[in-house]
Amino acid sequence: MDDSDDDQSMEHVLERLLEQFPTVPRRQVVELVDEELDSYEGEFLDEEEVPSEVEESARERLAELTASRPDTSSDEDSP
């Protein structure tokens, strides 16, 4: 896999995560994906496995992040 394939794969990961976590700012998702990608540097993984591993790790972190945020959507419905 060359660099353009890597970039395209990671862009797809980013887009899927942004769709799944629309309340998280794009910049924050990008930073988190970059952190996860950096954490796999030097690992003995097939290059094709890295995007899925990054996506899974980032998804778990984003789920924890959004679960810890207070839900303000119900406040809007209150009189």
Coordinates of all heavy atoms in Angstrom, one line a residue:
M1 N 0.9 -1.2 0.0 CA 0.0 0.0 0.0 C 0.9 1.2 0.0 O 1.8 1.3 0.8 CB -0.9 0.0 1.3 CG -1.9 1.1 1.3 SD -3.0 1.2 2.7 CE -3.2 -0.4 3.3
D2 N 0.7 2.1 -0.9 CA 1.5 3.3 -1.0 C 0.9 4.4 -0.1 O -0.2 4.3 0.4 CB 1.8 3.8 -2.4 CG 0.6 4.2 -3.2 OD1 -0.4 4.6 -2.5 OD2 0.6 4.1 -4.4
D3 N 1.6 5.6 0.0 CA 1.1 6.7 0.8 C -0.3 7.2 0.4 O -1.1 7.6 1.3 CB 2.1 7.8 0.8 CG 3.3 7.5 1.7 OD1 3.3 6.5 2.5 OD2 4.3 8.2 1.5
S4 N -0.6 7.3 -0.9 CA -1.9 7.8 -1.3 C -3.0 6.8 -0.9 O -4.1 7.3 -0.5 CB -1.9 8.0 -2.8 OG -1.8 6.8 -3.5
D5 N -2.7 5.5 -0.9 CA -3.7 4.5 -0.4 C -3.9 4.7 1.1 O -5.0 4.6 1.6 CB -3.3 3.1 -0.7 CG -3.4 2.8 -2.2 OD1 -4.1 3.5 -2.9 OD2 -2.7 1.8 -2.6
D6 N -2.8 4.9 1.8 CA -2.9 5.1 3.3 C -3.7 6.4 3.6 O -4.6 6.3 4.4 CB -1.5 5.3 3.9 CG -0.6 4.1 3.9 OD1 -1.2 3.0 3.7 OD2 0.6 4.2 4.1
D7 N -3.4 7.5 2.9 CA -4.2 8.7 3.1 C -5.6 8.5 2.8 O -6.5 9.0 3.6 CB -3.6 9.8 2.2 CG -2.2 10.3 2.6 OD1 -1.8 9.9 3.8 OD2 -1.5 10.9 1.8
Q8 N -5.9 7.8 1.7 CA -7.3 7.6 1.3 C -8.0 6.7 2.4 O -9.2 7.0 2.8 CB -7.4 7.0 0.0 CG -8.8 6.9 -0.6 CD -8.9 6.4 -2.0 OE1 -8.0 5.8 -2.5 NE2 -10.0 6.7 -2.7
S9 N -7.4 5.7 2.8 CA -7.9 4.8 3.8 C -8.2 5.6 5.1 O -9.3 5.4 5.7 CB -7.0 3.7 4.1 OG -6.9 2.8 3.0
M10 N -7.3 6.4 5.5 CA -7.5 7.2 6.8 C -8.6 8.2 6.6 O -9.3 8.5 7.6 CB -6.2 7.8 7.3 CG -5.1 6.7 7.7 SD -5.8 5.4 8.8 CE -6.3 6.4 10.2
E11 N -8.7 8.8 5.4 CA -9.8 9.7 5.2 C -11.1 9.1 5.3 O -12.1 9.6 5.8 CB -9.6 10.4 3.8 CG -10.6 11.5 3.5 CD -10.5 12.7 4.4 OE1 -9.4 13.0 4.9 OE2 -11.5 13.3 4.7
H12 N -11.2 7.8 4.8 CA -12.5 7.1 5.0 C -12.8 6.8 6.4 O -13.9 6.9 6.9 CB -12.4 5.7 4.2 CG -12.4 5.9 2.7 ND1 -13.5 6.5 2.0 CD2 -11.6 5.5 1.8 CE1 -13.2 6.5 0.7 NE2 -12.1 5.9 0.5
V13 N -11.8 6.4 7.2 CA -11.9 6.2 8.6 C -12.4 7.5 9.3 O -13.4 7.5 10.0 CB -10.6 5.8 9.3 CG1 -10.6 5.9 10.8 CG2 -10.2 4.4 8.8
L14 N -11.8 8.6 8.9 CA -12.2 9.9 9.5 C -13.7 10.2 9.2 O -14.5 10.6 10.1 CB -11.3 11.0 9.0 CG -11.6 12.4 9.5 CD1 -11.5 12.5 11.0 CD2 -10.7 13.4 8.8
E15 N -14.1 10.0 7.9 CA -15.4 10.3 7.5 C -16.5 9.4 8.2 O -17.5 9.9 8.7 CB -15.6 10.2 6.0 CG -14.8 11.3 5.2 CD -15.2 12.7 5.6 OE1 -16.4 13.0 5.9 OE2 -14.2 13.5 5.8
R16 N -16.1 8.2 8.4 CA -17.1 7.3 9.1 C -17.2 7.7 10.6 O -18.3 7.7 11.1 CB -16.6 5.8 9.0 CG -16.8 5.2 7.7 CD -16.6 3.7 7.7 NE -15.2 3.3 8.0 CZ -14.3 3.1 7.0 NH1 -14.6 3.3 5.8 NH2 -13.1 2.8 7.4
L17 N -16.1 8.0 11.2 CA -16.2 8.5 12.6 C -17.0 9.8 12.7 O -17.7 9.9 13.7 CB -14.8 8.6 13.2 CG -14.0 7.2 13.3 CD1 -12.6 7.5 13.7 CD2 -14.7 6.4 14.4
L18 N -16.8 10.7 11.8 CA -17.5 11.9 11.9 C -19.0 11.7 11.7 O -19.8 12.4 12.4 CB -17.0 12.9 10.8 CG -15.6 13.5 11.1 CD1 -15.1 14.2 9.8 CD2 -15.7 14.5 12.2
E19 N -19.4 10.7 10.9 CA -20.8 10.4 10.7 C -21.4 9.8 12.0 O -22.5 10.0 12.4 CB -21.0 9.5 9.6 CG -20.8 10.1 8.2 CD -21.0 9.1 7.1 OE1 -21.6 8.0 7.3 OE2 -20.6 9.5 6.0
Q20 N -20.6 8.9 12.7 CA -21.0 8.2 13.8 C -21.1 9.1 15.1 O -21.8 8.8 16.0 CB -20.1 7.0 14.1 CG -20.3 5.9 13.1 CD -19.2 4.8 13.2 OE1 -18.4 4.8 14.2 NE2 -19.2 3.9 12.3
F21 N -20.2 10.1 15.1 CA -20.2 11.0 16.3 C -20.3 12.5 15.8 O -19.4 13.3 15.9 CB -18.8 10.8 17.0 CG -18.6 9.4 17.5 CD1 -18.0 8.4 16.7 CD2 -19.2 9.0 18.7 CE1 -17.8 7.1 17.2 CE2 -19.0 7.7 19.2 CZ -18.4 6.8 18.4
P22 N -21.5 12.8 15.3 CA -21.7 14.2 14.8 C -21.6 15.3 15.8 O -21.4 16.5 15.4 CB -23.1 14.1 14.2 CG -23.8 13.0 15.0 CD -22.7 12.0 15.3
T23 N -21.7 15.0 17.1 CA -21.6 16.0 18.1 C -20.1 16.4 18.5 O -19.9 17.4 19.2 CB -22.3 15.6 19.4 OG1 -21.8 14.5 19.9 CG2 -23.8 15.4 19.1
V24 N -19.2 15.6 18.0 CA -17.8 15.8 18.3 C -17.2 16.7 17.2 O -17.4 16.4 16.0 CB -17.0 14.5 18.4 CG1 -15.5 14.8 18.7 CG2 -17.6 13.6 19.5
P25 N -16.6 17.8 17.6 CA -16.0 18.7 16.5 C -15.0 17.9 15.7 O -14.2 17.1 16.1 CB -15.3 19.8 17.3 CG -15.9 19.7 18.7 CD -16.3 18.3 18.9
R26 N -15.0 18.3 14.4 CA -14.1 17.6 13.4 C -12.7 17.7 13.9 O -11.9 16.7 13.8 CB -14.3 18.3 12.0 CG -13.4 17.7 11.0 CD -13.5 18.4 9.6 NE -12.7 17.7 8.6 CZ -13.1 16.7 7.9 NH1 -14.3 16.2 8.0 NH2 -12.2 16.2 7.0
R27 N -12.2 18.8 14.3 CA -10.8 19.0 14.7 C -10.5 18.0 15.8 O -9.4 17.4 15.8 CB -10.6 20.4 15.3 CG -9.1 20.7 15.5 CD -8.9 22.0 16.3 NE -9.2 21.7 17.6 CZ -9.9 22.4 18.5 NH1 -10.3 23.6 18.1 NH2 -10.2 22.1 19.7
Q28 N -11.4 17.7 16.8 CA -11.1 16.8 17.8 C -11.0 15.4 17.3 O -10.2 14.6 17.8 CB -12.2 16.9 18.9 CG -11.9 16.2 20.2 CD -12.9 16.5 21.3 OE1 -13.9 17.2 21.0 NE2 -12.7 15.9 22.4
V29 N -11.9 15.0 16.4 CA -11.9 13.7 15.8 C -10.6 13.5 15.0 O -9.9 12.4 15.1 CB -13.1 13.4 14.9 CG1 -13.0 12.1 14.2 CG2 -14.4 13.5 15.7
V30 N -10.2 14.5 14.3 CA -8.9 14.4 13.5 C -7.7 14.2 14.4 O -6.9 13.4 14.2 CB -8.7 15.7 12.6 CG1 -7.3 15.7 12.1 CG2 -9.7 15.8 11.5
E31 N -7.7 15.0 15.5 CA -6.6 14.8 16.5 C -6.6 13.5 17.1 O -5.5 12.8 17.3 CB -6.7 15.9 17.6 CG -6.4 17.3 17.1 CD -6.7 18.4 18.1 OE1 -7.1 18.1 19.3 OE2 -6.5 19.6 17.8
L32 N -7.7 12.9 17.4 CA -7.8 11.6 18.0 C -7.4 10.5 17.1 O -6.6 9.6 17.4 CB -9.3 11.4 18.5 CG -9.4 10.3 19.5 CD1 -10.5 10.7 20.5 CD2 -9.8 9.0 18.8
V33 N -7.8 10.6 15.8 CA -7.4 9.7 14.8 C -5.8 9.8 14.6 O -5.2 8.7 14.5 CB -8.1 9.9 13.5 CG1 -7.5 9.1 12.3 CG2 -9.6 9.5 13.6
D34 N -5.3 11.0 14.6 CA -3.9 11.1 14.4 C -3.1 10.5 15.6 O -2.1 9.8 15.4 CB -3.5 12.6 14.3 CG -3.8 13.2 13.0 OD1 -4.1 12.4 12.0 OD2 -3.8 14.4 12.9
E35 N -3.6 10.7 16.8 CA -3.0 10.1 18.0 C -3.0 8.5 17.9 O -2.0 7.9 18.2 CB -3.7 10.5 19.3 CG -3.5 11.9 19.7 CD -4.4 12.3 20.9 OE1 -5.0 11.4 21.5 OE2 -4.5 13.5 21.1
E36 N -4.2 8.0 17.5 CA -4.3 6.5 17.4 C -3.3 6.0 16.3 O -2.7 5.0 16.4 CB -5.7 6.1 17.1 CG -6.6 6.3 18.2 CD -6.2 5.5 19.5 OE1 -5.7 4.4 19.3 OE2 -6.4 6.0 20.6
L37 N -3.3 6.7 15.2 CA -2.4 6.3 14.1 C -0.9 6.3 14.5 O -0.2 5.4 14.3 CB -2.5 7.3 12.9 CG -1.8 6.9 11.6 CD1 -2.1 5.5 11.1 CD2 -2.1 7.9 10.5
D38 N -0.5 7.4 15.3 CA 0.8 7.5 15.8 C 1.1 6.3 16.7 O 2.3 5.8 16.8 CB 1.1 8.8 16.5 CG 1.1 10.0 15.6 OD1 1.3 9.7 14.3 OD2 1.0 11.1 16.0
S39 N 0.1 5.9 17.5 CA 0.3 4.8 18.5 C 0.7 3.5 17.8 O 1.2 2.6 18.4 CB -0.9 4.6 19.4 OG -2.0 4.0 18.7
Y40 N 0.3 3.3 16.5 CA 0.6 2.1 15.8 C 1.9 2.1 15.1 O 2.3 1.1 14.5 CB -0.5 1.7 14.9 CG -1.7 1.2 15.6 CD1 -2.8 2.0 15.9 CD2 -1.8 -0.1 16.0 CE1 -3.9 1.5 16.6 CE2 -2.9 -0.6 16.7 CZ -3.9 0.2 17.0 OH -5.0 -0.3 17.7
E41 N 2.6 3.2 15.1 CA 3.9 3.4 14.4 C 4.9 2.4 15.1 O 5.0 2.3 16.3 CB 4.4 4.8 14.5 CG 5.6 5.1 13.6 CD 5.9 6.5 13.6 OE1 5.0 7.3 13.3 OE2 7.1 6.9 13.8
G42 N 5.5 1.6 14.2 CA 6.5 0.6 14.7 C 5.9 -0.7 15.1 O 6.6 -1.6 15.4
E43 N 4.6 -0.8 15.1 CA 3.9 -2.1 15.4 C 4.1 -3.0 14.2 O 4.2 -2.6 13.0 CB 2.4 -1.9 15.6 CG 2.1 -1.1 16.9 CD 2.3 -1.9 18.2 OE1 2.1 -3.1 18.2 OE2 2.7 -1.3 19.1
F44 N 4.1 -4.3 14.5 CA 4.2 -5.3 13.4 C 2.8 -5.7 13.0 O 2.3 -6.8 13.2 CB 5.0 -6.5 14.0 CG 6.4 -6.2 14.3 CD1 6.8 -6.0 15.6 CD2 7.3 -6.0 13.2 CE1 8.1 -5.7 15.8 CE2 8.6 -5.7 13.5 CZ 9.0 -5.5 14.8
L45 N 2.1 -4.8 12.3 CA 0.8 -5.0 11.7 C 0.9 -4.9 10.2 O 1.7 -4.2 9.7 CB -0.2 -4.0 12.2 CG -0.6 -4.0 13.6 CD1 -1.5 -2.8 13.9 CD2 -1.4 -5.3 13.9
D46 N 0.1 -5.7 9.5 CA 0.0 -5.5 8.1 C -0.5 -4.1 7.8 O -1.4 -3.7 8.5 CB -0.9 -6.6 7.5 CG -1.0 -6.6 6.0 OD1 -1.0 -5.5 5.4 OD2 -1.2 -7.7 5.5
E47 N 0.1 -3.4 6.9 CA -0.3 -2.0 6.6 C -1.8 -1.9 6.3 O -2.4 -0.9 6.6 CB 0.5 -1.5 5.4 CG 1.9 -1.2 5.7 CD 2.7 -0.6 4.6 OE1 2.0 -0.2 3.6 OE2 3.9 -0.4 4.7
E48 N -2.4 -3.0 5.8 CA -3.8 -2.9 5.5 C -4.7 -3.0 6.7 O -5.9 -2.7 6.7 CB -4.2 -4.0 4.5 CG -3.6 -3.8 3.1 CD -3.9 -4.9 2.1 OE1 -4.7 -5.8 2.4 OE2 -3.3 -4.8 1.0
E49 N -4.1 -3.5 7.8 CA -4.8 -3.7 9.1 C -4.8 -2.4 9.9 O -5.7 -2.2 10.7 CB -4.1 -4.7 10.0 CG -4.3 -6.1 9.5 CD -3.5 -7.1 10.4 OE1 -3.6 -7.0 11.6 OE2 -2.9 -8.0 9.8
V50 N -3.9 -1.5 9.7 CA -3.8 -0.3 10.5 C -5.0 0.6 10.5 O -5.5 1.0 11.5 CB -2.5 0.5 10.1 CG1 -2.4 1.9 10.8 CG2 -1.2 -0.3 10.4
P51 N -5.6 0.9 9.3 CA -6.8 1.7 9.3 C -7.9 1.2 10.2 O -8.6 1.9 10.9 CB -7.2 1.9 7.9 CG -5.9 1.7 7.1 CD -5.2 0.7 7.9
S52 N -8.2 -0.2 10.1 CA -9.2 -0.7 10.9 C -8.9 -0.7 12.3 O -9.8 -0.5 13.2 CB -9.6 -2.2 10.4 OG -8.5 -3.0 10.5
E53 N -7.7 -0.9 12.7 CA -7.3 -0.9 14.1 C -7.4 0.5 14.6 O -7.9 0.7 15.8 CB -5.8 -1.4 14.3 CG -5.6 -2.8 14.0 CD -6.3 -3.7 15.0 OE1 -6.4 -3.4 16.2 OE2 -6.7 -4.8 14.6
V54 N -7.0 1.5 13.8 CA -7.1 2.9 14.2 C -8.6 3.3 14.4 O -8.9 3.9 15.4 CB -6.4 3.8 13.2 CG1 -6.8 5.3 13.4 CG2 -4.9 3.7 13.3
E55 N -9.4 2.9 13.5 CA -10.8 3.2 13.5 C -11.4 2.6 14.8 O -12.2 3.2 15.5 CB -11.5 2.7 12.3 CG -13.0 3.1 12.3 CD -13.7 2.7 10.9 OE1 -13.0 2.2 10.0 OE2 -14.9 3.0 10.8
E56 N -11.1 1.3 15.1 CA -11.7 0.7 16.3 C -11.3 1.4 17.5 O -12.1 1.7 18.4 CB -11.3 -0.8 16.3 CG -11.8 -1.6 17.4 CD -11.4 -3.0 17.4 OE1 -11.1 -3.6 16.3 OE2 -11.4 -3.6 18.5
S57 N -10.0 1.7 17.7 CA -9.5 2.4 18.9 C -10.1 3.8 19.0 O -10.5 4.2 20.1 CB -8.0 2.5 18.8 OG -7.4 1.2 18.8
A58 N -10.2 4.5 17.9 CA -10.7 5.8 17.9 C -12.2 5.8 18.3 O -12.7 6.6 19.0 CB -10.5 6.5 16.6
R59 N -12.9 4.8 17.7 CA -14.4 4.7 18.0 C -14.6 4.4 19.5 O -15.5 5.0 20.1 CB -15.0 3.6 17.2 CG -16.5 3.4 17.4 CD -17.1 2.3 16.6 NE -17.0 2.6 15.1 CZ -16.2 1.8 14.3 NH1 -15.6 0.8 14.8 NH2 -16.2 2.1 13.0
E60 N -13.8 3.6 20.1 CA -13.9 3.3 21.5 C -13.7 4.6 22.3 O -14.4 4.9 23.3 CB -12.9 2.2 21.9 CG -13.3 0.9 21.4 CD -12.2 -0.2 21.7 OE1 -11.2 0.1 22.4 OE2 -12.4 -1.3 21.2
R61 N -12.6 5.3 22.0 CA -12.4 6.6 22.7 C -13.5 7.6 22.5 O -13.9 8.3 23.5 CB -11.0 7.2 22.3 CG -9.8 6.3 22.8 CD -8.5 6.9 22.3 NE -8.3 8.2 22.8 CZ -7.3 9.0 22.4 NH1 -6.4 8.5 21.5 NH2 -7.1 10.2 22.9
L62 N -14.0 7.7 21.3 CA -15.1 8.7 21.0 C -16.3 8.3 21.8 O -17.1 9.1 22.3 CB -15.3 8.8 19.5 CG -14.3 9.6 18.8 CD1 -14.4 9.3 17.3 CD2 -14.4 11.0 19.0
A63 N -16.6 7.0 21.8 CA -17.8 6.5 22.6 C -17.7 6.8 24.1 O -18.6 7.3 24.7 CB -18.0 5.0 22.4
E64 N -16.5 6.7 24.6 CA -16.2 7.0 26.0 C -16.4 8.5 26.2 O -17.0 9.0 27.2 CB -14.8 6.6 26.5 CG -14.7 5.1 26.6 CD -13.3 4.7 26.9 OE1 -12.4 5.6 27.2 OE2 -13.0 3.5 26.8
L65 N -15.9 9.3 25.3 CA -15.9 10.7 25.4 C -17.4 11.2 25.3 O -17.8 12.0 26.2 CB -15.1 11.4 24.2 CG -15.2 12.9 24.1 CD1 -14.4 13.5 25.2 CD2 -14.7 13.3 22.8
T66 N -18.2 10.7 24.4 CA -19.5 11.2 24.3 C -20.4 10.6 25.4 O -21.4 11.3 25.8 CB -20.1 10.8 22.9 OG1 -20.0 9.4 22.7 CG2 -19.4 11.5 21.8
A67 N -20.1 9.5 26.0 CA -20.8 8.9 27.1 C -20.6 9.8 28.3 O -21.5 9.9 29.2 CB -20.5 7.5 27.3
S68 N -19.5 10.4 28.5 CA -19.2 11.1 29.7 C -19.7 12.6 29.6 O -19.7 13.3 30.6 CB -17.6 11.2 29.9 OG -17.0 11.9 28.9
R69 N -20.1 13.0 28.4 CA -20.7 14.3 28.3 C -22.1 14.3 28.7 O -22.9 13.4 28.5 CB -20.7 14.8 26.8 CG -19.3 15.1 26.3 CD -19.4 15.6 24.9 NE -18.1 16.0 24.4 CZ -17.9 16.3 23.1 NH1 -18.9 16.4 22.3 NH2 -16.7 16.7 22.8
P70 N -22.5 15.4 29.4 CA -23.9 15.4 29.8 C -24.8 15.6 28.6 O -24.5 16.3 27.7 CB -24.0 16.7 30.7 CG -22.8 17.5 30.4 CD -21.8 16.5 29.9
D71 N -26.0 15.0 28.7 CA -27.0 15.1 27.6 C -27.8 16.3 27.8 O -28.6 16.3 28.7 CB -27.8 13.8 27.5 CG -28.8 13.8 26.4 OD1 -28.7 14.7 25.5 OD2 -29.7 13.0 26.3
T72 N -27.6 17.3 26.9 CA -28.4 18.5 27.0 C -29.5 18.6 26.1 O -30.3 19.5 26.2 CB -27.5 19.8 26.8 OG1 -26.9 19.6 25.4 CG2 -26.3 19.9 27.8
S73 N -29.7 17.6 25.3 CA -30.8 17.6 24.3 C -32.2 17.6 25.0 O -33.1 18.2 24.6 CB -30.7 16.4 23.4 OG -30.8 15.2 24.1
S74 N -32.3 16.9 26.2 CA -33.6 16.8 26.9 C -33.9 18.2 27.6 O -35.0 18.5 27.8 CB -33.6 15.7 27.9 OG -32.6 15.9 28.9
D75 N -32.8 19.0 27.9 CA -33.0 20.3 28.5 C -33.8 21.2 27.6 O -34.5 22.0 28.0 CB -31.7 20.9 28.9 CG -31.0 20.1 30.0 OD1 -31.7 19.4 30.7 OD2 -29.8 20.3 30.2
E76 N -33.6 21.0 26.3 CA -34.2 21.9 25.3 C -35.7 21.7 25.2 O -36.5 22.6 24.9 CB -33.6 21.7 23.9 CG -32.1 22.1 23.8 CD -31.5 21.7 22.5 OE1 -32.3 21.2 21.6 OE2 -30.3 21.8 22.4
D77 N -36.2 20.5 25.6 CA -37.6 20.1 25.5 C -38.3 20.6 26.8 O -39.5 20.6 26.8 CB -37.8 18.6 25.3 CG -37.2 18.1 24.0 OD1 -37.1 18.9 23.1 OD2 -36.8 17.0 24.0
S78 N -37.6 20.9 27.8 CA -38.2 21.3 29.1 C -38.7 22.7 29.0 O -38.1 23.6 28.4 CB -37.2 21.2 30.2 OG -36.7 19.9 30.4
P79 N -39.9 23.0 29.7 CA -40.4 24.3 29.7 C -39.6 25.3 30.5 O -38.9 25.1 31.3 CB -41.8 24.2 30.3 CG -41.9 22.8 30.8 CD -40.7 22.0 30.4

